[in-house]
Each structure stands twice: as structure tokens, then as C-alpha cells.
Amino acid sequence: TPPSPPPYTTEDRPPLAVAAALPAATAAHVDVQALHRYCEELIETVRAANRYIDEQAPWALKKTDPERMVTVLYVVMEVLRHVAVMYQPVIPTSAGKILDQLGVPEEERTFAALGERSLRLGTPISKPQGVFPRIEAEVQVEL
């Protein structure tokens, strides 16, 4: 059996709960074909994960509490797994790249697997690569 997820603190539970609630939170939007609202739920989940990682600062934990750093990174990766699975109907190629980088097997990329499985500790992941290219806007200055 794979090892259990790391022990969670009260700071870890909110982003995990938001991610776990995504299927229910997005179902009504799908029912009325409000794709933009579906995507807004996913974007807000990513924003919450960004706030969490900023607050937890795993780069600092690496020196002071490596075990806690592992938990923080696991939480972020688990949230991203949920978001990527939920994004598959909208942006399948990009979502697939995220799931590939997280080491999620093909058979575990379903909505049903979100409630049944979690990331396996010890699964090797490749060096992260950007999935969405950065867009640099040209700035024109008139004199």
C-alpha cells in the first residue's frame, strides 16, 4: 500500500476542501452551460492555492522544517491535480501536461478518481515545465 498523505494542519485543510468541493461547485454551471462560471471556480481554486503557498513559504521551510515543506508541496500538488482533472473538458492538452508532470496515471484522470484517490507519495515527478506560455504585452509610449 502507498504511504499515507502527510499530517495536515489547520492551514492545509481549506485549500484541500475547496479542491474536493470542485465537482459539486461546478455541476450547476455545467447544467446551465455557463462554461465561464465553471472556469471561474477553477481559477479561484488556483488563486487560493497561490495564497496558501505564499503564506506557507515552502522555500523557507526547506531550511527550518523540511517535513512541513513536504506537506505544503503535497497540498499544492493535490489541489493542482483536482484543478487539472476538472480542466480536462476545457483545455485537454494543457490539463494533460499538468497531470503528466504530477505523475497521475491515465486511469486516475477521471472525475470519479478525484474522490477515490490522491497523489501517491514517493511518485517521481519530472522537473516542472511551464504549461502556459507567458504573454508579454508590448507597451507603446507616445511622445
Side-chain angles (χ1 to χ4, degrees):
T1 62
S4 300
Y8 297 128
T9 66
T10 55
E11 293 88 1
D12 303 329
R13 295 189 198 311
L16 291 168
V18 169
L22 277 174
T26 57
H29 305 313
V30 172
D31 289 345
V32 295
Q33 299 178 7
L35 184 60
H36 66 292
R37 296 228 192 296
Y38 179 92
C39 291
E40 286 171 2
E41 294 281 351
L42 301 178
I43 291 167
E44 187 50 44
T45 303
V46 171
R47 285 185 182 130
N50 281 336
R51 285 189 299 273
Y52 168 80
I53 203 163
D54 286 344
E55 293 165 2
Q56 298 303 309
W59 51 88
L61 291 170
K62 183 176 183 178
K63 297 176 185 170
T64 60
D65 191 350
E67 192 172 306
R68 175 75 184 132
M69 179 199 70
V70 169
T71 301
V72 169
L73 294 176
Y74 182 88
V75 168
V76 171
M77 291 171 57
E78 185 62 12
V79 170
L80 290 176
R81 179 182 73 91
H82 279 76
V83 170
V85 167
M86 297 296 295
Y87 256 133
Q88 287 180 112
V90 182
I91 49 172
T93 302
S94 297
K97 288 179 182 178
I98 294 167
L99 293 166
D100 287 346
Q101 289 186 50
L102 292 173
V104 177
E106 291 285 333
E107 65 276 6
E108 294 180 15
R109 298 180 180 196
T110 65
F111 290 0
L114 289 177
E116 299 171 357
R117 305 242 191 261
S118 59
L119 290 171
R120 293 186 186 124
L121 292 176
T123 300
I125 59 171
S126 57
K127 181 178 179 184
Q129 296 182 4
V131 175
F132 303 101
R134 181 173 292 249
I135 298 173
E136 299 291 337
E138 285 189 33
V139 178
Q140 293 182 346
V141 178
E142 292 186 32
L143 301 175

